Amino acid sequence: PKRRPLRLLRRSSPSPVPPFRLGAVLLALTLPIVAEAQSLPDNPLSDCPDTPNCERVARGYEAPPDTLYAAAERALESLGPVTLRRPDSSAARRLEAVYRVALLFKDDVAVAVRARDGGGSALYVRSASRVGHSDLGVNRRRVDRFLEAVGAALRDASSTS
């Protein structure tokens, strides 16, 4: 019997996105975040060192500063800190927490809330390991969980009022 050559079927698939279009899309997606960060008051928390064991972020919210401060306090408590301090007074809207990692290490978290010009407020968060060079992303994940908890606390506050 005579063998027929196999014919490869060509499916019509969409062409890959040209790199310049992908870059333009990514830039467009990040512009609102950059614009929001630029409209925030100066960050009152200390800068991170040039090591990957520190995370420092700022977010803008429509909520009034006192409401955001209360939500941030509930969010920090929900993450189970070893200690939670309210330095100065509540008028300063600052919080400091210490979290234990692997029973040996301690990480410091600082939070500040400031009023924004034009309404709303800004939330500043800094989470840093006390020792070591790398934390394998622990501080970044903690900040992400904290921001999610702040969002949940704000939703709860708006649904009860």
Side-chain angles (χ1 to χ4, degrees), residues 53-55 107 127-129 135 137-144:
N53 64 353
C54 181
E55 185 73 16
D107 290 354
S127 182
S129 301
D135 66 349
V138 169
N139 286 298
R140 175 179 294 275
R141 288 189 299 275
R142 181 181 296 113
V143 168
D144 290 344

Side-chain angles (χ1 to χ4, degrees), residues 54-70:
C54 181
E55 185 73 16
R56 182 177 177 247
V57 299
R59 293 281 192 283
Y61 291 87
E62 296 301 319
D66 290 334
T67 303
L68 182 57
Y69 178 79

Side-chain angles (χ1 to χ4, degrees), residues 70-140:
E73 188 173 19
R74 283 193 303 276
L76 276 179
E77 289 171 347
S78 75
L79 296 178
V82 175
T83 62
L84 177 60
R85 286 185 345 109
R86 294 151 190 89
D88 305 323
S89 67
S90 62
R93 297 187 195 104
R94 290 185 71 119
L95 298 163
E96 294 175 356
V98 176
Y99 292 89
R100 190 174 296 278
V101 180
L103 300 175
L104 298 172
F105 306 107
K106 292 182 179 178
D107 290 354
D108 297 307
V109 177
V111 173
V113 175
R114 296 268 171 95
R116 286 191 339 190
D117 293 339
S121 50
L123 175 67
Y124 302 95
V125 185
R126 182 182 188 273
S127 182
S129 301
R130 289 185 181 180
V131 296
H133 179 77
S134 176
D135 66 349
L136 303 174
V138 169
N139 286 298
R140 175 179 294 275

